Amino acid sequence: MYDQILAVAKTEWRCQVKSWVFRIGLLIIIGVPLVVDLPSSAADLLTTKSAGICYSHGIVMMGSCFMPLLTITIFYKDRVTSMPVLIFSQPVSKTSFVLGKFFGMFSVYMTIVLLGILPWISIPLFFGEMPYSPIVFIYFLLILSLPSMFYFACLCYLVEVGFGKTIATISIPLIFLIFWELLPGFASHILPDYILGTMAAGSPLPPDMLQFIIINRLFLIIAGIGLLYISTRAFSLKKFMGM
Amino acid sequence: MTNKIVFENVSKSYGNFKALDDINLEIPEGMFGLLGPNGAGKTTFMKILVTLLDPSKGKVLINGHDAANDKMDVRNIIGFLPQEFSIYPQLTAYEFLEYIAGLNGIKDKSKITKALEQVNLLDVKNKKVGGFSGGMKRRLGIAQAILKEPKILIVDEPTAGLDPEERIRFRTLLVELSQKRSVILSTHIVEDISSTCENIAFIVRGSMKYIGSTDVFINKAKGKVREFVVRDTRDLSAIKLKYRIISLRRFSDHTLVRVVGDYSSEDGGKEVEPNLEEAYVYFMHEDDPDV
């Protein structure tokens, strides 16, 4: 089963990185925050910690706009080609296929995000300063971005699997994104500004904030897994293959 | 172990439409042809065989595995080339086969090279599938079907849309592949069957009209094929009314007309040996009151 998930994910990744969606992703996820937060002089340079948080927050915001677009392309090529007939005449289960597709999609997002670290850590070089530490960026990526985007990607994916309609895959996650502040704090995939601000300041986090972050991140991961599980159940092979 | 495929009272309905009607069939070893016109139920038959569809009634046993309940076991022993298929155009031929290998749990990459070599696509293995011709795509389709070295190879309308040279090459390839496995070939192109299959099933409107050897099928049409020499177009019109015309060959002073149908001695003409195409046409319209 793992081999099959890996095969589907690898192929999905290969197809996506060669497509226009990947280029748009690079532009949205890396380009926009880079332009918005670009310092004009050495004095405006952020600390490594602030830059890491700024990048991680930026890729969650921009990633949330890009993820529905990426999601609709996941099954599109299966609908326009007749690959599903070939795929499902192989000994592959629908669960392996659905999970493989998801991890392929998520790995595309992660590829963009990892590529984005390079220009960000290089910013100080333009002002004759030492580059930012990539370790700090990866640390905040794992703490701030990964659980958030995993959860949001699972949500987009479930909508796509459940409805199979472009309009739903675009609109439902975007409505969710617009009204994220109405959600209870522990269930939001975007951390509130006061927590990000405290983290960026570099001072130790108070216990209540630490507790909030732990509960929130755990919730996002568990909820994401739950949404992914529902996606595997909701996937209809008959509908997918138009039979 | 010999391969055994058995259809037991298999029916498939879509609403009120019966795509397959009470099919009973045992497919022997070697190359087996499924012949029938477009819309006869061949693709439904094939899809049931490869577990993409479940029968509404009856069961299909493939080497003892029930196609509806033991799907993974069946998919492990069959290779399938569908009638219509397309591949993600962004992938190269090698990447596509690597995908199929991954789905089948094949870790030995040399099998991919071997499959590409068998279908003569090794030199274009790094080219994107999107740029392949119809024939190349078909060959790549065969490569994915034989990659796992299946015991049973199922090909649905494999030569449709190919040029004559490519069709001959494809038929030769299928015969070569049948040396080591059972091959089931479904087509409406009679020539494909006549040059490759020893046994056939003839399906019309979801029902099996004939199951057996190709030679016996042809012999059944003996006495039903005639040739007429026509010099007057009015005679041709009269023939058209009575028989199904198989071919017309125009010469300088006459036309040679080959027909099938039940004839009476006063009609004239010369009885000739039937071929598979003529037998096919005769039996397809056997119940048709117009013939």
Side-chain angles (χ1 to χ4, degrees):
Chain A
M1 183 183 180
Y2 297 111
D3 284 344
Q4 292 173 334
I5 293 172
L6 188 69
V8 177
K10 194 172 160 186
T11 303
E12 195 54 44
W13 183 86
R14 270 178 174 160
C15 289
Q16 291 290 348
V17 294
K18 292 177 193 172
S19 75
W20 56 271
V21 179
F22 186 72
R23 275 162 251 162
I24 289 183
L26 284 173
L27 198 71
I28 295 176
I29 298 175
I30 303 172
V32 173
L34 202 63
V35 170
V36 170
D37 296 317
L38 198 65
S40 52
S41 68
D44 294 336
L45 272 177
L46 298 168
T47 63
T48 302
K49 222 172 187 180
S50 297
I53 290 170
C54 194
Y55 177 66
S56 300
H57 183 62
I59 58 174
V60 170
M61 297 305 289
M62 291 297 112
S64 300
C65 298
F66 171 66
M67 197 55 85
L69 180 69
L70 180 62
T71 313
I72 58 171
T73 63
I74 292 298
F75 293 113
Y76 175 76
K77 58 186 171 303
D78 291 286
R79 291 192 190 109
V80 295
T81 65
S82 32
M83 271 292 276
V85 176
L86 287 181
I87 294 166
F88 287 103
S89 61
Q90 313 298 334
V92 61
S93 66
K94 68 171 193 170
T95 305
S96 303
F97 180 73
V98 172
L99 291 177
K101 280 271 182 187
F102 174 79
F103 287 117
M105 175 184 94
F106 198 64
S107 64
V108 173
Y109 169 76
M110 287 310 294
T111 304
I112 296 173
V113 162
L114 290 172
L115 283 174
I117 291 179
L118 200 65
W120 264 83
I121 60 167
S122 311
I123 291 172
L125 290 174
F126 292 99
F127 303 101
E129 302 283 337
M130 284 294 284
Y132 296 131
S133 160
I135 306 293
V136 174
F137 273 67
I138 288 170
Y139 171 75
F140 285 117
L141 195 72
L142 291 174
I143 301 291
L144 299 180
S145 313
L146 204 58
S148 298
M149 286 318 296
F150 173 69
Y151 171 70
F152 196 73
C154 291
L155 177 76
C156 294
Y157 194 65
L158 175 61
V159 175
E160 174 66 15
V161 167
F163 294 95
K165 297 264 184 256
T166 302
I167 188 77
T169 310
I170 296 281
S171 58
I172 294 174
L174 284 184
I175 291 168
F176 186 85
L177 185 63
I178 291 165
F179 297 106
W180 70 272
E181 280 177 317
L182 299 177
L183 291 169
F186 73 89
S188 170
H189 77 296
I190 299 167
L191 282 174
D193 286 345
Y194 71 93
I195 291 182
L196 293 173
T198 312
M199 285 173 90
S203 48
L205 287 172
D208 60 325
M209 271 193 205
L210 201 61
Q211 191 185 358
F212 178 90
I213 292 173
I214 292 169
I215 291 173
N216 173 256
R217 302 287 98 176
L218 279 176
F219 172 83
L220 295 181
I221 293 167
I222 293 166
I225 293 169
L227 292 173
L228 203 52
Y229 175 76
I230 299 169
S231 297
T232 62
R233 301 288 103 192
F235 182 79
S236 161
L237 197 56
K238 277 187 180 173
K239 195 173 144 192
F240 183 61
M241 295 179 74
M243 293 193 298
Chain B
M1 186 190 158
T2 55
N3 296 311
K4 197 175 176 189
I5 301 165
V6 183
F7 276 66
E8 287 178 3
N9 309 104
V10 174
S11 296
K12 178 71 187 173
S13 306
Y14 300 99
N16 292 328
F17 174 70
K18 268 199 169 177
L20 290 180
D21 188 12
D22 200 26
I23 304 285
N24 285 287
L25 168 70
E26 199 171 318
I27 298 176
E29 283 271 311
M31 254 194 101
F32 184 84
L34 181 65
L35 190 59
N38 286 330
K42 299 188 298 297
T43 297
T44 303
F45 180 96
M46 291 299 203
K47 282 190 172 171
I48 288 174
L49 204 50
V50 299
T51 76
L52 288 171
L53 284 177
D54 291 334
S56 309
K57 273 186 202 163
K59 65 177 172 182
V60 179
L61 296 170
I62 300 167
N63 289 0
H65 302 293
D66 187 333
N69 298 320
D70 313 324
K71 286 184 197 288
M72 293 302 157
D73 293 324
V74 171
R75 289 176 192 178
N76 270 319
I77 54 173
I78 57 154
F80 177 49
L81 173 66
Q83 179 184 356
E84 279 176 18
F85 75 100
S86 46
I87 299 161
Y88 302 149
Q90 301 95 331
L91 295 179
T92 65
Y94 189 89
E95 285 170 347
F96 167 64
L97 290 188
E98 204 179 19
Y99 182 29
I100 300 297
L103 295 179
N104 285 285
I106 298 168
K107 295 206 164 56
D108 183 2
K109 302 282 181 203
S110 68
K111 286 191 176 176
I112 298 175
T113 312
K114 192 180 154 195
L116 283 166
E117 208 168 9
Q118 262 183 294
V119 297
N120 224 359
L121 287 175
L122 194 57
D123 51 341
V124 290
K125 68 174 187 175
N126 293 322
K127 286 204 170 148
K128 281 188 183 174
V129 178
F132 277 20
S133 68
M136 287 163 89
K137 279 182 189 163
R138 288 256 146 209
R139 278 189 274 148
L140 186 59
I142 276 287
Q144 66 80 29
I146 60 172
L147 185 63
K148 62 181 157 196
E149 293 165 359
K151 289 179 181 167
I152 300 160
L153 180 63
I154 299 164
V155 284
D156 193 4
E157 306 274 4
T159 62
L162 299 185
D163 63 47
E165 200 183 346
E166 197 71 69
R167 274 175 58 191
I168 292 166
R169 195 190 302 177
F170 214 89
R171 287 201 297 251
T172 311
L173 177 65
L174 287 177
V175 174
E176 279 170 20
L177 292 170
S178 71
Q179 317 282 320
K180 288 184 185 168
R181 55 183 65 81
S182 297
V183 176
I184 301 169
L185 163 67
S186 153
T187 187
H188 67 278
I189 302 169
V190 181
E191 211 184 326
D192 288 348
I193 299 261
S194 64
S195 56
T196 54
C197 299
E198 196 187 338
N199 292 291
I200 61 166
F202 183 48
I203 184 169
V204 181
R205 290 185 290 274
S207 299
M208 286 295 172
K209 282 208 159 188
Y210 174 82
I211 302 161
S213 99
T214 314
D215 293 339
V216 172
F217 184 70
I218 295 169
N219 275 337
K220 277 177 177 270
K222 228 169 188 171
K224 309 292 180 190
V225 185
R226 293 186 83 73
E227 248 178 20
F228 292 91
V229 175
V230 178
R231 295 178 200 281
D232 189 334
T233 50
R234 278 171 298 183
D235 292 342
L236 185 59
S237 304
I239 291 169
K240 266 186 187 170
L241 283 174
K242 211 159 184 191
Y243 299 99
R244 285 198 179 267
I245 294 175
I246 294 290
S247 68
L248 288 165
R249 277 182 74 193
R250 189 97 181 97
F251 294 90
S252 57
D253 61 337
H254 70 277
T255 304
L256 196 61
V257 186
R258 212 171 154 107
V259 300
V260 292
D262 296 313
Y263 67 94
S264 49
S265 51
E266 64 267 23
D267 289 343
K270 185 180 81 176
E271 189 184 312
V272 288
E273 283 293 309
N275 58 33
L276 185 61
E277 190 177 31
E278 288 151 354
Y280 169 87
V281 173
Y282 177 74
F283 287 109
M284 211 173 83
H285 299 283
E286 199 188 12
D287 303 328
D288 190 336
D290 293 332
V291 180

